Amino acid sequence: MAAPTTERPASTGDTRELAPARRGNRAGPALLTVLTWIVGIGFFFPILWMVLTAFKKEADAYTSPPSLFFTPTLEQFETVFSSGIGPYLLNSLFATVMSTVFVLLLAVPAAYAVSLRPVKKTQDVLFFFISTKMLPVVAAIVPIYVVVNNIGMLDNIWTLVVLYTAMNLPIAVWMMRSFFQEVPKELLEAASMDGASLWRSMREVVLPVVSPGIAATSLICVIFAWNEFFFAVNLTAATAATVPVFLVGFITSEGLYFAKLCAAATMCALPVVVAGWIAQNKLVQGLSFGAVK
Amino acid sequence: MAPPPSRSPDRPPHRRRSPLRIARSGPLALLAVVLLALSGCAGAGALGGGGEGQQTITIAIVSNPQMQDAIELSPQFEAENPDIRLKFVSLSENEARAKITASVATEGGEFDAVMISNYETPQWAANGWLVDLDPLMAQTPGYDEDDFIPAVRGALSGPDGHMYAVPFYGESSFLMYRKDLFAQAGITMPAQPTWQDVAAAAQRLHDPANGMSGICLRGKPGWGEVMAPFDTVANTFGARWFDPQWNAQLTSPQFRAAANFYVDLVQNYGTPGAATSGFSECGTQFSQGNAAMWYDATVAAGIVENPEESRVAGNVGYAPAPVVEKQDAGWLYTWSLAIPKTSDEAGTTAATWRFLSWMTSKDYGPMVGGQLGWEHVPPGARQSTYRIPEYVEASKAYAQQTLDAIAAADQKNPTVEPVPYTGIQFVAIPEFQDLGTRVSQQLSAAVAGQQTADEALDQAQVYAETVGESYQREGQ
């Protein structure tokens, strides 16, 4: 906390010292804005480039130096549509939505418990959750493949649903925990004094307060599940393959493929962009809610 | 889940739901409907499925233009065989190789047919993972397996001499050069160039100020990238990976000479960014007119002679793979189709073979040529392809050179001195995928100038010794 201004000695020396600082303060935000724009453009440029390349012909996509001005064509999008993207989109949608629903069903009560009703070993439990993310996925793929093969669940979309649920659960619990910690205890006490049951105080008091957090958590889970490639490529084949697996089918070692790949990538990125756009308001609330104490 | 609005304590208990509230629950209802519909589709792990009495055949393929053509034409097979439905899993080369290997080795059974190369076929046949195709070929009228190019046929045979995969297309390597630039500079390409000839021509034609590189050679890490052309250079320099006792030979004078030659050639007269250039990058550079020569796969001719993609179409000459000591220096590679043993258990072998025999039949080439264009015909598998007048006319610039290069490649005798392995641009042992990749990373670092070729080989020798020792222990 800043010290009260009345306690600050009002000397001329202080005024002289403050003046350059004020000038610096004016330059600082401007510099920060420029830096933010540079970083923002730096992050956005690959996406812009992907979208631009999607409208090029293959030969234009490979020119050196790269061409910014070209005759746009929808040829690549036609190729992507005729390649049968439908089942891949459906599989991705199913795995993403189902896993996110399961994650929320499990993570919200778990996070409620560890943040609002902590017990002695809560910290250990939290550490256990996050420790499951410490092993690289590639280190676990052989046993997972063998188990999935033995139970006859290879190339089955439910396998991905289970794995994506497990993959996102620790992150969701930790995220939701930070949101639950923002809920004032007094709210729960007031609900309890009014005679609300646990279920009712959860449903009508806590969940509305943390709904931005749920939106933020859902979006993170959706993005992670939608983009997941490693499990999908190793555990699926013809029937349960998802969008990222569809994408790599455009990479060929013999021939030109940049424009087709960019068109397919643009198509596949759209659902996540739409999901982010829908959750935008809640997400901004959620991010500021969780981050600023 | 849509958040419930905060309620006032005096709200009437049975108030009708407002339109706003219904609108808010709309997305939830929609989600529920979508999920129900999807779970109906995907409940058994399958979206869609074969109809009554139909057998679904799943084929894992490597994504390349020829296979995309096959997928495009496959409805014709389904129309002729209404009891068979085809499903393709198309992946990029690295993913496909890893996925197919895992599936076949663990008997995962996801695929009824797999696309593999002459690297995998003899090893997997020896492991008993593949169905012997000789009896099936014999039962198929007009299939004519003797029509396959002998070198390709031999490369896809198991230890018993039977074929365990049927070739879809084959390739060797040759040197592509710009006839116009050579003529301008007064250089004549010998009928059988040596690598010294190539280096001298590259030096003459290298003109970076005008955007012209002397030669494009792969420098990208990967056993299927830089190692493919480099191995052929090493072989013809008299180098070998192992001696017959499995002693690693990567620091032999011949190997050092080959590596130093390759790295110097690329660094001095290669294209910019050579350390990250593979087939596609070199194809782009050469097709855009930025390189005077390109040594790579024979299938590259289809790209450089395509006027829609190439600015140098019609100006390219083709010469056999350059040599030093060993005379036939080109590699041999073929993408082929095999049936894993698990198909026998699943009872799909007969149906799978019907598709494989259709796709590798003598009639397939003319069908592709007639419907998609003669430049689309898969080259290098059948001799009869090179007797189709339309194909010969369309590919006259490179067809004979391709056939000669493939016919000359002998993967059973790849080196000057004897070796305990087969394979020209690879060592046909399971460990080579890892070993080759590691060595390629060292070589690529040398191309990038991060270390010398000799330093790269010193490290590569350590990797190779580890592999060699495991075979020495096995032999004891």
Side-chain angles (χ1 to χ4, degrees):
Chain A
M1 294 290 279
T5 48
T6 48
E7 285 177 26
R8 191 179 291 158
S11 69
T12 50
D14 277 346
T15 316
R16 276 199 304 277
E17 279 167 18
L18 281 172
R22 283 201 192 107
R23 277 203 297 278
N25 282 347
R26 276 199 298 276
L31 199 69
L32 198 64
T33 308
V34 170
L35 196 70
T36 311
W37 271 101
I38 292 171
V39 171
I41 290 170
F43 273 97
F44 180 67
F45 187 74
I47 296 159
L48 175 72
W49 195 250
M50 174 185 80
V51 177
L52 280 179
T53 309
F55 290 96
K56 289 181 181 177
K57 287 188 170 179
E58 286 294 356
D60 293 333
Y62 279 82
T63 52
S64 177
S67 56
L68 261 179
F69 302 100
F70 55 92
T71 315
T73 173
L74 290 173
E75 197 181 300
Q76 313 307 339
F77 286 96
E78 285 170 23
T79 310
V80 173
F81 277 115
S82 63
S83 304
I85 190 174
Y88 296 92
L89 278 172
L90 280 179
N91 282 332
S92 269
L93 190 67
F94 185 78
T96 303
V97 173
M98 290 301 281
S99 66
T100 304
V101 168
F102 287 145
V103 164
L104 289 180
L105 286 176
L106 295 169
V108 171
Y112 176 87
V114 295
S115 53
L116 296 177
R117 305 283 173 93
V119 290
K120 202 176 165 190
K121 296 284 184 186
T122 294
Q123 287 302 319
D124 294 351
V125 170
L126 279 167
F127 181 74
F128 169 72
F129 280 142
I130 207 70
S131 70
T132 58
K133 300 294 292 178
M134 291 175 188
L135 183 73
V137 180
V138 68
I141 190 65
V142 172
I144 289 176
Y145 184 90
V146 171
V147 169
V148 171
N149 187 12
N150 285 342
I151 60 174
M153 290 289 280
L154 276 178
D155 202 16
N156 190 314
I157 196 67
W158 284 103
T159 304
L160 292 188
V161 171
V162 171
L163 286 170
Y164 293 174
T165 305
M167 176 181 86
N168 287 333
L169 197 54
I171 300 164
V173 170
W174 272 76
M175 275 184 80
M176 285 310 302
R177 174 178 166 267
S178 69
F179 292 117
F180 275 120
Q181 281 180 331
E182 301 295 320
V183 178
K185 289 251 179 358
E186 292 78 8
L187 266 181
L188 287 169
E189 284 168 14
S192 169
M193 291 194 49
D194 286 346
S197 64
L198 173 66
W199 170 240
R200 189 167 178 194
S201 59
M202 176 94 174
R203 193 163 49 94
E204 297 187 8
V205 178
V206 177
L207 284 184
V209 174
V210 298
S211 64
I214 292 178
T217 308
S218 305
L219 190 69
I220 291 284
C221 292
V222 164
I223 291 170
F224 282 172
W226 186 269
N227 291 339
E228 202 284 330
F229 172 70
F230 193 68
F231 282 134
V233 77
N234 283 297
L235 302 175
T236 68
T239 49
T242 54
V243 158
V245 181
F246 172 75
L247 278 187
V248 293
F250 286 97
I251 300 173
T252 167
S253 49
E254 289 169 358
L256 309 180
Y257 62 86
F258 276 6
K260 277 192 282 292
L261 183 66
C262 284
T266 304
M267 292 291 307
C268 299
L270 269 182
V272 177
V273 173
V274 171
W277 181 67
I278 291 170
Q280 193 180 23
N281 285 339
K282 287 280 182 196
L283 191 65
V284 172
Q285 281 177 37
L287 290 175
S288 54
F289 184 62
V292 182
K293 300 280 177 188
Chain B
M1 199 177 277
S6 54
R7 292 181 187 176
S8 63
D10 56 348
R11 205 188 72 174
H14 298 295
R15 198 173 67 179
R16 283 185 65 189
R17 298 178 82 194
S18 70
L20 179 67
R21 226 187 118 103
I22 292 169
R24 278 187 184 185
S25 61
L28 196 67
L30 185 68
L31 180 69
V33 169
V34 169
L35 279 180
L36 278 173
L38 279 176
S39 60
C41 294
L47 289 163
E52 282 292 313
Q54 259 192 340
Q55 237 176 347
T56 300
I57 303 298
T58 306
I59 307 123
I61 57 162
V62 172
S63 177
N64 62 41
Q66 283 89 358
M67 282 311 300
Q68 295 308 321
D69 290 343
I71 294 173
E72 199 177 325
L73 295 172
S74 64
Q76 293 179 33
F77 171 82
E78 289 177 315
E80 291 163 19
N81 299 270
D83 56 329
I84 298 176
R85 186 164 174 264
L86 301 172
K87 273 190 176 178
F88 292 94
V89 177
S90 174
L91 293 169
S92 61
E93 186 172 331
N94 287 346
E95 275 76 28
R97 202 183 288 279
K99 172 101 191 124
I100 291 168
T101 305
S103 175
V104 175
T106 62
E107 300 183 342
E110 300 110 300
F111 307 117
D112 300 296
V114 291
M115 196 173 190
I116 54 176
S117 71
N118 51 324
Y119 168 70
E120 289 92 358
T121 305
Q123 297 178 56
W124 292 9
N127 292 350
W129 294 350
L130 302 174
V131 171
D132 181 358
L133 299 180
D134 269 15
L136 295 167
M137 288 191 290
Q139 288 164 17
T140 311
Y143 187 68
D144 195 6
E145 59 271 29
D146 295 330
D147 183 39
F148 291 130
I149 297 171
V152 173
R153 190 176 174 179
L156 296 175
S157 299
D160 56 0
H162 291 198
M163 282 185 86
Y164 285 81
V166 279
F168 181 58
Y169 79 91
E171 65 176 37
S172 182
S173 55
F174 57 19
L175 182 72
M176 293 159 272
Y177 63 97
R178 288 277 299 279
K179 286 190 292 190
D180 52 338
L181 297 179
F182 270 64
Q184 278 169 25
I187 309 170
T188 308
M189 177 62 75
Q192 173 57 74
T194 64
W195 275 110
Q196 285 75 20
D197 295 332
V198 172
Q203 185 184 13
R204 293 261 313 267
L205 296 168
H206 189 63
D207 185 8
N210 291 311
M212 180 57 66
S213 300
I215 188 166
C216 198
L217 283 172
R218 301 186 196 180
K220 198 178 191 174
W223 74 269
E225 289 286 2
V226 64
M227 288 319 290
F230 172 71
D231 267 343
T232 65
V233 175
N235 289 342
T236 193
F237 266 74
R240 53 184 174 170
W241 282 76
F242 298 98
D243 70 10
Q245 288 74 44
W246 287 101
N247 295 307
Q249 299 291 308
L250 272 66
T251 47
S252 68
Q254 294 92 334
F255 222 107
R256 286 195 187 280
N260 276 295
F261 174 83
Y262 192 91
V263 170
D264 287 347
L265 184 60
V266 177
Q267 283 183 342
N268 294 334
Y269 315 119
T271 48
T276 53
S277 291
F279 178 91
S280 298
E281 291 79 8
C282 277
T284 307
Q285 293 286 354
F286 191 76
S287 301
Q288 297 298 313
N290 301 330
M293 287 181 282
W294 180 24
Y295 171 64
D296 217 303
T298 50
V299 290
I303 296 173
V304 301
E305 295 293 348
N306 179 354
E308 285 177 19
E309 291 182 357
S310 169
R311 293 181 188 166
V312 297
N315 278 327
V316 181
Y318 301 87
V323 296
V324 178
E325 270 191 58
K326 190 175 190 299
Q327 286 309 301
D328 50 319
W331 74 57
L332 180 65
Y333 201 72
T334 168
W335 279 119
S336 57
L337 292 151
I339 306 177
K341 269 279 169 65
T342 43
S343 289
D344 268 348
E345 291 154 27
T348 54
T349 301
T352 307
W353 172 249
R354 258 155 73 194
F355 176 64
L356 261 53
S357 60
W358 175 83
M359 212 173 122
T360 57
S361 68
K362 283 167 110 169
D363 300 332
Y364 181 80
M367 181 174 70
V368 173
Q371 295 185 28
L372 303 175
W374 292 98
E375 71 279 7
H376 287 252
V377 174
R382 284 186 172 272
Q383 299 174 77
S384 57
T385 305
Y386 294 86
R387 293 194 290 269
I388 305 170
E390 295 93 334
Y391 177 72
V392 172
E393 175 60 27
S395 60
K396 62 184 174 205
Y398 55 88
Q400 193 57 44
Q401 289 89 333
T402 300
L403 189 58
D404 292 346
I406 295 172
D410 182 4
Q411 73 170 21
K412 292 198 167 63
N413 298 293
T415 51
V416 174
E417 293 181 286
V419 286
Y421 57 84
T422 61
I424 297 170
Q425 78 280 27
F426 52 77
V427 178
I429 54 173
E431 294 85 350
F432 186 72
Q433 291 201 36
D434 183 45
L435 173 64
T437 301
R438 284 168 184 263
V439 175
S440 75
Q441 287 161 351
Q442 295 298 322
L443 196 63
S444 184
V447 169
Q450 293 161 2
Q451 61 181 348
T452 65
D454 285 324
E455 286 166 349
L457 290 183
D458 289 341
Q459 183 59 48
Q461 170 78 3
V462 177
Y463 300 142
E465 280 172 357
T466 310
V467 172
E469 281 163 12
S470 69
Y471 281 85
Q472 285 168 344
R473 278 196 299 274
E474 253 178 48
Q476 281 170 359

